Amino acid sequence: MSEPLHATAYAGWVAVITGGAGGIGQATAARLIERGITCLLVDIDAAALERAAQALGPRALTHCADLGGTQALAELAARVDREFGRLDLLVNNVGVTDTRPFEQRSIESIVREMQINLLMPMALTHALLPRLQAAADGRVITTVSLGGLFPLPETTVYSASKFGLRGAMLCLGLDEARLGVRFSIVNPSATETPMLMREAITGGNQLQFMDPPQTAAEVAACILRSLDEPVLERYVRGSESWLVRLAMLVPNRLARLIPLLQRSAAKGHRRYLDSLQQRGLIERQGDAWRLTADRRAEP
């Protein structure tokens, strides 16, 4: 009996995963490694990278860097050339958010969030594009967000960055015949990672908790599906995508629609906090919540 396609299709492939020490990054790396792909995990947190590498095994290598500058991008590209001599897949996965109201944020924090969420994936794609073009079947898969399709109150900077990232990757995807690289977007909704837990306890927008958060494994499965069955855009939860796109047909009604959803969202937020507490992932500290020690160390 011949081997399944997935057992041989990616033999020898090399992937770079940004945000590789985080929940989605690690879950994605685990699935890629199962396919025989060597993964270079890129993250700013050296300790988290070390834990991820230990959990994933010898096919997971690490690169600790802040990719905010051209020198760091050049160093990463040089390492790919030096250590692997090829690159087949780039997974743009890194992302951050800030729950402070827009008017209370510093200009520096706004610029930093835009840099990490939008400019860094674009610059890294540009820096690594020649290596991907040299591959037999070069791919770029970018984790965007439903926040790149649907605006929510209190998410001004995050939405701006994700709207922009989605637009950039759609444009590149439409140009893939000329570029010789295939581009795919994956749009998760709220995903249970330490970042989401921090949002839940520090005043993040409650509307994202209307439904139970999806898992990092579900997002990773969607990324793998985009690898196996390339399309320009894919949603982790199809039902949510239809609701979002339908609402955006009447953007002038959003100011009326969103308040109608707040009550359900507040209940969902309370249920999620209860769930985190029952699982020992958060604890009370005075009048506030905090992540327990074993979660605070994670990205």
Short mmCIF file of all heavy atoms in Angstrom, two decimals, residues 3-45:
data_model
loop_
_atom_site.label_atom_id
_atom_site.label_comp_id
_atom_site.label_asym_id
_atom_site.label_seq_id
_atom_site.Cartn_x
_atom_site.Cartn_y
_atom_site.Cartn_z
N GLU A 3 2.09 5.18 0.63
CA GLU A 3 1.96 6.07 1.77
C GLU A 3 0.93 7.15 1.47
O GLU A 3 0.75 7.55 0.32
CB GLU A 3 3.30 6.74 2.07
CG GLU A 3 4.33 5.82 2.66
CD GLU A 3 5.58 6.61 3.05
OE1 GLU A 3 6.37 6.90 2.16
OE2 GLU A 3 5.71 6.92 4.25
N PRO A 4 0.22 7.64 2.50
CA PRO A 4 -0.68 8.77 2.29
C PRO A 4 0.09 9.96 1.75
O PRO A 4 1.29 10.13 2.02
CB PRO A 4 -1.23 9.06 3.70
CG PRO A 4 -0.98 7.82 4.49
CD PRO A 4 0.25 7.20 3.89
N LEU A 5 -0.60 10.82 0.99
CA LEU A 5 0.03 11.99 0.39
C LEU A 5 0.75 12.82 1.44
O LEU A 5 1.90 13.25 1.25
CB LEU A 5 -1.03 12.85 -0.32
CG LEU A 5 -0.54 14.21 -0.84
CD1 LEU A 5 0.50 14.02 -1.92
CD2 LEU A 5 -1.73 15.03 -1.37
N HIS A 6 0.09 13.08 2.59
CA HIS A 6 0.65 13.98 3.59
C HIS A 6 1.92 13.41 4.22
O HIS A 6 2.71 14.15 4.80
CB HIS A 6 -0.36 14.29 4.68
CG HIS A 6 -1.60 14.95 4.15
ND1 HIS A 6 -1.58 15.74 3.04
CD2 HIS A 6 -2.87 14.94 4.60
CE1 HIS A 6 -2.81 16.20 2.81
NE2 HIS A 6 -3.60 15.72 3.73
N ALA A 7 2.13 12.12 4.11
CA ALA A 7 3.31 11.52 4.72
C ALA A 7 4.58 11.83 3.94
O ALA A 7 5.68 11.75 4.45
CB ALA A 7 3.13 10.00 4.84
N THR A 8 4.44 12.18 2.65
CA THR A 8 5.61 12.39 1.81
C THR A 8 5.65 13.76 1.14
O THR A 8 6.70 14.19 0.69
CB THR A 8 5.66 11.32 0.71
OG1 THR A 8 4.45 11.37 -0.07
CG2 THR A 8 5.81 9.93 1.31
N ALA A 9 4.53 14.45 1.08
CA ALA A 9 4.44 15.68 0.28
C ALA A 9 5.38 16.77 0.78
O ALA A 9 5.83 17.59 -0.02
CB ALA A 9 3.00 16.19 0.27
N TYR A 10 5.67 16.79 2.08
CA TYR A 10 6.45 17.88 2.66
C TYR A 10 7.82 17.43 3.16
O TYR A 10 8.46 18.14 3.93
CB TYR A 10 5.66 18.52 3.80
CG TYR A 10 4.25 18.91 3.39
CD1 TYR A 10 3.15 18.25 3.91
CD2 TYR A 10 4.05 19.93 2.47
CE1 TYR A 10 1.87 18.59 3.52
CE2 TYR A 10 2.77 20.28 2.08
CZ TYR A 10 1.68 19.60 2.60
OH TYR A 10 0.42 19.95 2.21
N ALA A 11 8.27 16.30 2.69
CA ALA A 11 9.57 15.78 3.11
C ALA A 11 10.66 16.79 2.78
O ALA A 11 10.78 17.26 1.65
CB ALA A 11 9.86 14.45 2.44
N GLY A 12 11.45 17.15 3.80
CA GLY A 12 12.55 18.07 3.60
C GLY A 12 12.18 19.54 3.68
O GLY A 12 13.06 20.40 3.59
N TRP A 13 10.91 19.84 3.86
CA TRP A 13 10.47 21.24 3.92
C TRP A 13 11.02 21.93 5.17
O TRP A 13 11.23 21.30 6.21
CB TRP A 13 8.95 21.32 3.95
CG TRP A 13 8.32 21.35 2.59
CD1 TRP A 13 8.72 20.65 1.48
CD2 TRP A 13 7.18 22.11 2.19
NE1 TRP A 13 7.87 20.91 0.43
CE2 TRP A 13 6.93 21.81 0.83
CE3 TRP A 13 6.32 22.99 2.85
CZ2 TRP A 13 5.86 22.38 0.12
CZ3 TRP A 13 5.27 23.56 2.14
CH2 TRP A 13 5.05 23.26 0.79
N VAL A 14 11.20 23.24 5.05
CA VAL A 14 11.59 24.10 6.16
C VAL A 14 10.56 25.20 6.29
O VAL A 14 10.16 25.82 5.29
CB VAL A 14 12.99 24.70 5.95
CG1 VAL A 14 13.31 25.72 7.03
CG2 VAL A 14 14.05 23.60 5.90
N ALA A 15 10.12 25.46 7.53
CA ALA A 15 9.14 26.51 7.80
C ALA A 15 9.68 27.47 8.84
O ALA A 15 10.37 27.07 9.79
CB ALA A 15 7.82 25.90 8.31
N VAL A 16 9.37 28.75 8.67
CA VAL A 16 9.61 29.77 9.68
C VAL A 16 8.26 30.17 10.26
O VAL A 16 7.31 30.46 9.51
CB VAL A 16 10.31 31.00 9.07
CG1 VAL A 16 10.27 32.19 10.03
CG2 VAL A 16 11.77 30.66 8.73
N ILE A 17 8.16 30.17 11.59
CA ILE A 17 6.91 30.51 12.27
C ILE A 17 7.19 31.65 13.23
O ILE A 17 7.93 31.49 14.20
CB ILE A 17 6.34 29.31 13.06
CG1 ILE A 17 6.18 28.09 12.15
CG2 ILE A 17 5.00 29.67 13.69
CD1 ILE A 17 5.75 26.83 12.89
N THR A 18 6.58 32.81 13.00
CA THR A 18 6.73 33.91 13.95
C THR A 18 5.71 33.74 15.08
O THR A 18 4.67 33.11 14.91
CB THR A 18 6.54 35.27 13.27
OG1 THR A 18 5.20 35.40 12.78
CG2 THR A 18 7.52 35.44 12.13
N GLY A 19 6.04 34.31 16.24
CA GLY A 19 5.22 34.02 17.41
C GLY A 19 5.27 32.55 17.74
O GLY A 19 4.33 31.97 18.30
N GLY A 20 6.41 31.92 17.43
CA GLY A 20 6.51 30.48 17.52
C GLY A 20 6.47 29.92 18.92
O GLY A 20 6.20 28.73 19.10
N ALA A 21 6.72 30.75 19.93
CA ALA A 21 6.68 30.27 21.31
C ALA A 21 5.28 30.35 21.90
O ALA A 21 5.04 29.87 23.01
CB ALA A 21 7.65 31.07 22.17
N GLY A 22 4.35 30.99 21.19
CA GLY A 22 2.99 31.15 21.71
C GLY A 22 2.14 29.92 21.45
O GLY A 22 2.57 28.94 20.82
N GLY A 23 0.89 29.99 21.92
CA GLY A 23 0.01 28.83 21.83
C GLY A 23 -0.27 28.40 20.40
O GLY A 23 -0.14 27.21 20.06
N ILE A 24 -0.66 29.32 19.53
CA ILE A 24 -0.95 28.98 18.14
C ILE A 24 0.32 28.57 17.42
O ILE A 24 0.34 27.62 16.64
CB ILE A 24 -1.64 30.15 17.43
CG1 ILE A 24 -3.03 30.40 18.05
CG2 ILE A 24 -1.77 29.88 15.94
CD1 ILE A 24 -3.73 31.64 17.51
N GLY A 25 1.41 29.29 17.69
CA GLY A 25 2.68 28.95 17.05
C GLY A 25 3.14 27.55 17.38
O GLY A 25 3.55 26.78 16.50
N GLN A 26 3.07 27.18 18.66
CA GLN A 26 3.50 25.84 19.06
C GLN A 26 2.57 24.77 18.49
O GLN A 26 3.03 23.72 18.03
CB GLN A 26 3.51 25.74 20.58
CG GLN A 26 4.69 26.39 21.25
CD GLN A 26 4.83 25.98 22.71
OE1 GLN A 26 4.92 24.80 23.02
NE2 GLN A 26 4.82 26.95 23.59
N ALA A 27 1.27 25.03 18.54
CA ALA A 27 0.32 24.04 18.01
C ALA A 27 0.52 23.83 16.52
O ALA A 27 0.44 22.71 16.02
CB ALA A 27 -1.11 24.49 18.31
N THR A 28 0.81 24.92 15.81
CA THR A 28 1.06 24.81 14.37
C THR A 28 2.36 24.06 14.11
O THR A 28 2.42 23.18 13.24
CB THR A 28 1.13 26.22 13.74
OG1 THR A 28 -0.12 26.88 13.95
CG2 THR A 28 1.42 26.14 12.26
N ALA A 29 3.40 24.38 14.86
CA ALA A 29 4.68 23.68 14.69
C ALA A 29 4.52 22.18 14.93
O ALA A 29 5.08 21.36 14.19
CB ALA A 29 5.72 24.26 15.63
N ALA A 30 3.75 21.83 15.94
CA ALA A 30 3.56 20.41 16.24
C ALA A 30 2.93 19.68 15.05
O ALA A 30 3.33 18.56 14.70
CB ALA A 30 2.68 20.25 17.49
N ARG A 31 1.94 20.32 14.42
CA ARG A 31 1.28 19.70 13.27
C ARG A 31 2.22 19.62 12.07
O ARG A 31 2.22 18.64 11.33
CB ARG A 31 0.01 20.48 12.91
CG ARG A 31 -1.07 20.49 13.99
CD ARG A 31 -1.69 19.10 14.16
NE ARG A 31 -2.34 18.64 12.97
CZ ARG A 31 -3.63 18.88 12.66
NH1 ARG A 31 -4.39 19.59 13.49
NH2 ARG A 31 -4.16 18.41 11.54
N LEU A 32 3.01 20.66 11.87
CA LEU A 32 3.94 20.66 10.74
C LEU A 32 5.03 19.60 10.94
O LEU A 32 5.43 18.91 9.99
CB LEU A 32 4.57 22.04 10.58
CG LEU A 32 3.63 23.18 10.17
CD1 LEU A 32 4.39 24.50 10.14
CD2 LEU A 32 2.98 22.91 8.82
N ILE A 33 5.51 19.48 12.17
CA ILE A 33 6.55 18.49 12.46
C ILE A 33 6.03 17.09 12.21
O ILE A 33 6.76 16.21 11.73
CB ILE A 33 7.05 18.67 13.91
CG1 ILE A 33 7.90 19.95 14.00
CG2 ILE A 33 7.85 17.47 14.38
CD1 ILE A 33 8.22 20.39 15.42
N GLU A 34 4.75 16.84 12.49
CA GLU A 34 4.15 15.55 12.18
C GLU A 34 4.24 15.22 10.70
O GLU A 34 4.27 14.06 10.30
CB GLU A 34 2.68 15.53 12.62
CG GLU A 34 2.46 15.50 14.12
CD GLU A 34 0.99 15.61 14.48
OE1 GLU A 34 0.16 15.82 13.56
OE2 GLU A 34 0.67 15.50 15.68
N ARG A 35 4.26 16.28 9.87
CA ARG A 35 4.36 16.10 8.42
C ARG A 35 5.82 16.00 7.95
O ARG A 35 6.07 15.98 6.75
CB ARG A 35 3.68 17.26 7.69
CG ARG A 35 2.23 17.48 8.07
CD ARG A 35 1.35 16.38 7.51
NE ARG A 35 -0.04 16.56 7.91
CZ ARG A 35 -0.92 17.34 7.26
NH1 ARG A 35 -0.53 18.04 6.23
NH2 ARG A 35 -2.15 17.43 7.68
N GLY A 36 6.76 16.04 8.88
CA GLY A 36 8.16 15.95 8.51
C GLY A 36 8.81 17.28 8.19
O GLY A 36 9.92 17.31 7.64
N ILE A 37 8.16 18.39 8.55
CA ILE A 37 8.68 19.72 8.27
C ILE A 37 9.54 20.19 9.44
O ILE A 37 9.13 20.09 10.60
CB ILE A 37 7.51 20.71 8.02
CG1 ILE A 37 6.71 20.26 6.80
CG2 ILE A 37 8.04 22.13 7.82
CD1 ILE A 37 5.47 21.11 6.53
N THR A 38 10.71 20.69 9.15
CA THR A 38 11.56 21.31 10.17
C THR A 38 11.10 22.74 10.39
O THR A 38 10.90 23.50 9.43
CB THR A 38 13.03 21.31 9.73
OG1 THR A 38 13.46 19.95 9.57
CG2 THR A 38 13.91 22.01 10.75
N CYS A 39 10.91 23.14 11.65
CA CYS A 39 10.34 24.43 11.97
C CYS A 39 11.35 25.30 12.72
O CYS A 39 11.95 24.86 13.71
CB CYS A 39 9.10 24.26 12.84
SG CYS A 39 7.73 23.44 11.99
N LEU A 40 11.52 26.53 12.24
CA LEU A 40 12.32 27.51 12.95
C LEU A 40 11.35 28.47 13.64
O LEU A 40 10.64 29.23 12.98
CB LEU A 40 13.22 28.28 11.98
CG LEU A 40 14.15 29.33 12.60
CD1 LEU A 40 15.11 28.68 13.60
CD2 LEU A 40 14.91 30.09 11.53
N LEU A 41 11.30 28.38 14.96
CA LEU A 41 10.38 29.19 15.74
C LEU A 41 11.05 30.53 16.05
O LEU A 41 12.13 30.57 16.63
CB LEU A 41 10.03 28.48 17.05
CG LEU A 41 9.59 27.01 16.97
CD1 LEU A 41 9.25 26.50 18.36
CD2 LEU A 41 8.42 26.84 16.02
N VAL A 42 10.37 31.61 15.70
CA VAL A 42 10.92 32.95 15.91
C VAL A 42 10.07 33.66 16.95
O VAL A 42 8.83 33.71 16.83
CB VAL A 42 10.93 33.75 14.60
CG1 VAL A 42 11.57 35.13 14.82
CG2 VAL A 42 11.67 32.99 13.51
N ASP A 43 10.70 34.19 17.97
CA ASP A 43 9.97 34.87 19.03
C ASP A 43 10.94 35.79 19.77
O ASP A 43 12.16 35.62 19.69
CB ASP A 43 9.36 33.85 19.99
CG ASP A 43 8.11 34.36 20.70
OD1 ASP A 43 8.25 35.26 21.56
OD2 ASP A 43 7.01 33.89 20.38
N ILE A 44 10.37 36.74 20.51
CA ILE A 44 11.20 37.67 21.28
C ILE A 44 11.53 37.13 22.66
O ILE A 44 12.42 37.63 23.33
CB ILE A 44 10.48 39.04 21.38
CG1 ILE A 44 11.47 40.13 21.79
CG2 ILE A 44 9.29 38.96 22.32
CD1 ILE A 44 10.89 41.53 21.71
N ASP A 45 10.81 36.08 23.09
CA ASP A 45 10.94 35.55 24.45
C ASP A 45 11.83 34.30 24.44
O ASP A 45 11.40 33.21 24.05
CB ASP A 45 9.54 35.21 24.98
CG ASP A 45 9.53 34.84 26.45
OD1 ASP A 45 10.52 34.27 26.93
OD2 ASP A 45 8.51 35.12 27.12
#
